[in-house]
Amino acid sequence: MNSSVSALPLSTLNPANEALTLRLPSSLQLKQQLPLSNVLNQQVVAHRQAVRAILDGHDPRLLVIVGPCSIHDPESALEYASKLSRLADEVRDDMLLVMRAYVEKPRTTVGWKGLAYDPHLNGSDDMAAGLTLSRELMLEMIRLGLPIATELLQPVAAGYFDDLLSWVAIGARTTESQIHREMASGLSMPVGFKNGTDGGVTVAVDAMRSAAHAHRHFGVDSQGHPAIIQTSGNPDTHLVLRGGHKGPNYDRESVAIINTELTRLKIPSRIMVDCSHANSGKDPLRQPGVFNDVLEQRLQGNRSLIGMMLESHLFEGCQPLSESLRYGVSVTDGCLGFDATERLLLDAAQRIRQQA
């Protein structure tokens, strides 16, 4: 992976606030340089259809979004993807595994914003290189046969890899954003809206209702020009429970209350549980306990629970950014190691088969 599209020379200096503007290549330019072949495009289409079939109840498999909290190292990310591809094949009759390819990270204040922003991990913010590297990595993962998922944080960045994605998350901090709801309404793949950081689901439910409608909104076209974007609405949205300030919200009572509210609002009851964040008390090693609790609810007949999300890397834990990073260890949220992830998913597949 050595191709790159460089940012153009400095174009604007605003004396009022001294903000520097560096022009990026358009999303069309990058897609032309790193194209999705017809064969791989059909694969992405098939993966999106498979996710939709699970959401609609036509496919009984469990949907599992699994992979690093964020990608910072191409080598370890591709090693993980290779391992996950083999595991996905082993459990394909019982689960659809979708790899997390998260290249943007929301920050409460400041910090590393992800591969698309700062691929060199040094604060240089070479976003042109970051977008190129992100697209290259996603293409490699698709070539391994994997569906891929990401959280779309910056709508302008979304256009650089939206054609590669089979599933998208809108995060807890942006679910309430009108801009992200409008963006979701025009996406061609299923979208999961996370509940707010307070643990309440109202903003996510409102987001699902908004994204299902057509919108006209300000945006940028594929050539980088300001444009009016007209969308038709996205019928393939669902709720992602990630807990909140008061604790987890994946327990039976919480899920029952949420299902009642969704039914009252005539919104399809399709719920994914994020086994990390507040649901695990931010302890990555507690994710299997959350996963197994949700799986048991599903095996006992709660079919509104369509899937789970796991933060998993080659090795468990996390580490701060430094000049000497441990290979295969997250630099953002702590992750479950791959060996533990593999055991968890193989055991879950066995439990699903035994009930069939």
Side-chain angles (χ1 to χ4, degrees):
M1 295 180 296
N2 55 13
S3 59
S4 64
V5 175
S6 300
L8 298 178
L10 182 68
S11 60
T12 303
L13 176 64
N14 185 340
N17 59 15
E18 298 184 349
L20 302 178
T21 301
L22 197 62
R23 186 174 296 166
L24 287 167
S26 70
S27 60
L28 178 62
Q29 287 175 298
L30 188 57
K31 286 176 175 176
Q32 288 174 335
Q33 179 169 329
L34 296 169
L36 182 65
S37 69
N38 289 334
V39 171
L40 292 182
N41 179 64
Q42 290 305 308
Q43 179 180 302
V44 172
V45 170
H47 285 152
R48 291 176 178 178
Q49 286 292 88
V51 175
R52 288 189 187 99
I54 291 174
L55 293 179
D56 293 338
H58 302 314
D59 185 334
R61 291 182 297 170
L62 189 68
L63 177 62
V64 182
I65 314 296
V66 56
C69 171
S70 61
I71 290 176
H72 70 279
D73 169 42
E75 184 180 354
S76 63
L78 289 178
E79 181 180 343
Y80 186 98
S82 180
K83 289 175 177 286
L84 189 67
S85 178
R86 291 192 292 269
L87 178 58
D89 191 55
E90 286 188 63
V91 301
R92 67 183 183 277
D93 292 336
D94 307 291
M95 301 178 189
L96 176 62
L97 303 189
V98 180
M99 178 158 175
R100 289 174 59 113
Y102 280 40
V103 297
E104 299 181 87
K105 293 302 296 180
R107 313 308 308 195
T108 302
T109 53
V110 294
W112 184 69
K113 295 180 182 179
L115 190 75
Y117 287 75
D118 187 14
H120 310 304
L121 311 180
N122 59 5
S124 60
D125 296 325
D126 186 353
M127 298 179 196
L131 290 169
T132 300
L133 181 57
S134 296
R135 186 169 176 87
E136 287 177 330
L137 277 171
M138 290 181 184
L139 282 168
E140 288 297 323
M141 292 170 188
I142 292 172
R143 291 186 186 107
L144 288 169
L146 288 168
I148 57 173
T150 200
E151 177 179 336
L152 290 180
L153 182 61
Q154 169 53 255
V156 172
Y160 289 89
F161 35 76
D162 56 358
D163 57 325
L164 310 179
L165 304 170
S166 296
W167 184 88
V168 160
I170 303 297
R173 296 170 180 83
T174 45
T175 285
E176 197 167 5
S177 160
Q178 175 175 307
I179 294 171
H180 289 77
R181 295 173 180 187
E182 291 169 343
M183 176 182 68
S185 76
L187 293 175
S188 301
M189 72 293 294
V191 175
F193 285 98
K194 289 196 173 184
N195 65 252
T197 54
D198 64 353
V201 301
T202 301
V203 294
V205 171
D206 287 346
M208 292 163 62
R209 298 170 71 186
S210 174
H213 284 272
H215 288 271
R216 290 190 183 93
H217 62 91
F218 293 109
V220 177
D221 67 18
S222 64
Q223 297 182 342
H225 301 141
I228 299 172
I229 310 296
Q230 182 168 326
T231 69
S232 57
N234 190 336
D236 301 311
T237 63
H238 64 93
L239 182 62
V240 181
L241 301 181
R242 46 88 72 197
H245 298 320
K246 296 179 181 179
N249 59 0
Y250 66 87
D251 58 281
R252 287 165 174 76
E253 182 179 357
S254 296
V255 172
I257 291 171
I258 292 165
N259 271 325
T260 298
E261 180 65 5
L262 292 173
T263 300
R264 184 183 71 83
L265 294 171
K266 299 181 180 179
I267 296 175
S269 292
R270 38 201 195 189
I271 300 170
M272 175 180 289
V273 172
D274 181 350
C275 298
S276 186
H277 299 98
N279 276 334
S280 64
K282 297 187 177 181
D283 179 351
L285 300 186
R286 293 174 61 185
Q287 290 185 94
V290 179
F291 185 99
N292 284 323
D293 186 294
V294 177
L295 178 61
E296 186 60 29
Q297 292 182 55
R298 180 180 163 91
L299 292 176
Q300 290 179 1
N302 190 340
R303 306 302 291 186
S304 69
L305 293 166
I306 53 90
M308 281 85 97
M309 179 183 291
L310 292 165
E311 291 189 328
S312 163
H313 213 324
L314 291 176
F315 304 104
E316 70 179 42
C318 62
Q319 62 185 326
L321 280 175
S322 69
E323 293 183 359
S324 56
L325 292 173
R326 288 176 290 155
Y327 179 77
V329 177
S330 173
V331 299
T332 47
D333 291 352
C335 290
L336 197 65
F338 185 83
D339 289 346
T341 302
E342 184 177 43
R343 288 194 300 272
L344 176 66
L345 295 178
L346 288 174
D347 288 348
Q350 182 64 28
R351 291 174 64 189
I352 293 170
R353 289 189 206 111
Q354 288 173 348
Q355 192 197 53

